[in-house]
Amino acid sequence: MNIRKLAISTTLCLFFITGCDSAEMAETPSTPAKTKVVIKTLGTEDIYSVRDFPARITAVKTAQIRPQVGGIIQKRLFRQGSEIREGQALFQIDAAPFEADVEMANAAVAKAKATYQQMSSRAYRFSKLQKNAAISQQDLDDAKAASAQAAAELAEATASLNRKKLDLNYATVKAPISGRVDQEFVTEGALVSPGDTQAMAVIQQLDRVYVDARVPSQALRSLYQFNDAAPAGQSGVTAVVLDDEGRPYDTPARLLFSGMSVNDETGDVVLRAEVENPQRTLLPGMFVKLQITRLIEKEGMAIPEQAINRAEDKTTVWIVGQDNKAKRVEIQTGEQTAKGITVTAGLKAGDKIVIEGQDKLQEGAEVTARPDETQLAS
């Protein structure tokens, strides 16, 4: 009997407990969890496009020193690797043969001058005599022709003398430009001639150098397109030369021009810049990078690419309003930059865009927003 009463009491207790739990569950409504997202508050700033292109250094001027007369090199008159002034003597070719030629040419000029004076005086006398009919017209004509021929021979001898003097001057090989001279390629005692294929030395002007970059033809248009953001009279494009580790050189570069044709194999165009090189740190043949910075928009906005959703020909982002609820807005984007993709329409300064967690969002969903740590650090 006692066992039966105990079982009934236990059953009643369990029923009462279950009923209480059910009532509590019925009275407590279910609350959906808030979606956690990371947001970035938009601000305005000057937006730049920065691109690096492979480039190579070339000298502004390069002169291959070659002989203009033949002979034996007697002396080298410069120090290899030194700075050379325009007109400075570099090599001395044996001048003895040219000096002898000049003396012979001087003698020929003297002889031609004496003949000319004789023929000229004869023609003058004949012209006086012909007035008195003392000589025939034929004799006068012959005298005048002889005088003219003597004058031509004098001019020829004078021209030959000038040429011989020029050859004598060429025996001293001089620098046609100022710059740094490289090593000598011929030594003292070598025989040289104007037809040699080997240069005697090479001079390169290095106080300024060219930077020739290979730029894809598609990118060239954006570099030179009209930019409203640039100040009046300026292109808004600047250039800097970087070394192989990405460190900039001290001197700025000035863009000169772009090539007129596209390479058939690579699709690239040559973009040339000029750089002051007072320390001679940039040498011809060096491989560098030409960094082109272009002002896209003043007081513009750029957003991270991961915040953008593209679907059905629409570009949208999620923003969080003052009520902490998510809202999808359609935007228009511009160029890709180092700070992100520019926004041309659809957003304003102060908007809070979602950059992480947007794949779980629904329109009007309440969120728990956390600021981007990189934005806080900046």
Side-chain angles (χ1 to χ4, degrees):
M1 186 69 179
N2 292 333
I3 294 174
R4 184 178 179 184
K5 291 181 178 180
L6 181 60
I8 294 173
S9 300
T10 302
T11 303
L12 291 174
C13 289
L14 291 173
F15 178 78
F16 177 77
I17 293 173
T18 304
C20 291
D21 291 341
S22 300
E24 290 179 359
M25 293 177 64
E27 292 176 359
T28 304
S30 59
T31 303
K34 296 180 180 180
T35 303
K36 296 180 179 181
V37 296
V38 178
I39 62 171
K40 177 180 180 179
T41 303
L42 295 181
T44 59
E45 59 182 328
D46 292 347
I47 305 298
Y48 294 89
S49 171
V50 181
R51 298 191 64 178
D52 296 346
F53 302 102
R56 196 171 187 180
I57 303 297
T58 58
V60 171
K61 294 180 181 179
T62 300
Q64 293 186 347
I65 308 305
R66 298 181 182 275
Q68 293 179 281
V69 294
I72 302 296
I73 297 178
Q74 289 183 325
K75 293 181 181 179
R76 172 172 56 85
L77 305 174
F78 66 93
R79 182 169 55 86
Q80 299 179 79
S82 62
E83 291 290 331
I84 299 298
R85 302 182 309 276
E86 181 179 353
Q88 181 177 336
L90 302 178
F91 294 93
Q92 181 60 58
I93 297 175
D94 184 11
F98 307 108
E99 292 172 348
D101 289 342
V102 170
E103 292 178 0
M104 293 175 61
N106 272 321
V109 168
K111 181 180 179 181
K113 186 178 295 185
T115 302
Y116 170 69
Q117 290 176 351
Q118 180 185 8
M119 294 297 102
S120 178
S121 298
R122 186 168 180 267
Y124 177 75
R125 289 194 305 270
F126 276 27
S127 64
K128 294 294 185 181
L129 294 172
Q130 201 276 336
K131 291 180 180 180
N132 299 324
I135 62 172
S136 67
Q137 182 66 37
Q138 181 64 46
D139 290 337
L140 177 60
D141 293 342
D142 291 344
K144 288 182 177 180
S147 176
Q149 183 177 355
E153 290 175 352
L154 175 60
E156 182 181 5
T158 303
S160 179
L161 173 61
N162 292 336
R163 177 61 194 182
K164 299 303 181 183
K165 288 182 178 179
L166 191 60
D167 289 343
L168 177 59
N169 184 58
Y170 285 155
T172 302
V173 181
K174 299 178 181 180
I177 63 173
S178 298
R180 178 171 292 181
V181 64
D182 206 344
Q183 69 193 73
E184 63 174 1
F185 297 110
V186 293
T187 60
E188 296 174 357
L191 176 63
V192 296
S193 67
D196 292 344
T197 57
Q198 175 64 59
M200 302 172 72
V202 176
I203 299 177
Q204 294 177 314
Q205 182 180 334
L206 300 180
D207 57 341
R208 292 178 295 118
V209 294
Y210 291 138
V211 183
D212 292 335
R214 297 288 179 177
V215 179
S217 57
Q218 299 87 347
L220 191 65
R221 179 181 179 184
S222 63
L223 294 180
Y224 281 95
Q225 68 183 7
F226 180 76
N227 193 347
D228 292 331
Q234 301 182 20
S235 64
V237 179
T238 58
V240 176
V241 181
L242 308 177
D243 61 15
D244 53 358
E245 296 182 359
R247 296 174 300 185
Y249 288 93
D250 295 335
T251 56
R254 180 171 62 93
L255 294 179
L256 296 180
F257 66 89
S258 61
M260 300 301 294
S261 60
V262 179
N263 187 288
D264 295 336
E265 297 180 358
T266 63
D268 294 340
V269 179
V270 175
L271 179 64
R272 170 165 285 187
E274 185 181 48
V275 182
E276 297 293 331
N277 190 33
Q279 304 300 325
R280 310 301 194 268
T281 53
L282 297 171
L283 300 177
M286 286 178 57
F287 287 98
V288 294
K289 293 180 180 179
L290 185 64
Q291 185 178 85
I292 306 297
T293 302
R294 182 172 64 90
L295 177 62
I296 297 177
E297 184 178 359
K298 292 187 68 67
E299 300 299 323
M301 291 183 296
I303 61 176
E305 188 171 1
Q306 69 264 27
I308 298 176
N309 305 291
R310 304 182 191 274
E312 299 179 356
D313 298 331
K314 292 184 179 180
T315 303
T316 61
V317 295
W318 288 96
I319 65 173
V320 176
Q322 297 295 332
D323 54 358
N324 286 335
K325 291 185 178 181
K327 179 182 178 182
R328 186 192 295 269
V329 296
E330 186 175 350
I331 64 172
Q332 295 180 6
T333 58
E335 296 186 37
Q336 175 73 51
T337 70
K339 293 183 176 294
I341 298 178
T342 58
V343 177
T344 58
L347 295 174
K348 63 183 183 299
D351 285 345
K352 299 176 181 179
I353 64 169
V354 179
I355 61 174
E356 292 183 18
Q358 62 267 41
D359 54 335
K360 302 177 182 179
L361 291 178
Q362 294 181 354
E363 187 72 26
E366 193 170 359
V367 301
T368 300
R370 175 172 61 85
D372 181 23
E373 293 181 357
T374 59
Q375 187 178 16
L376 294 176
S378 61

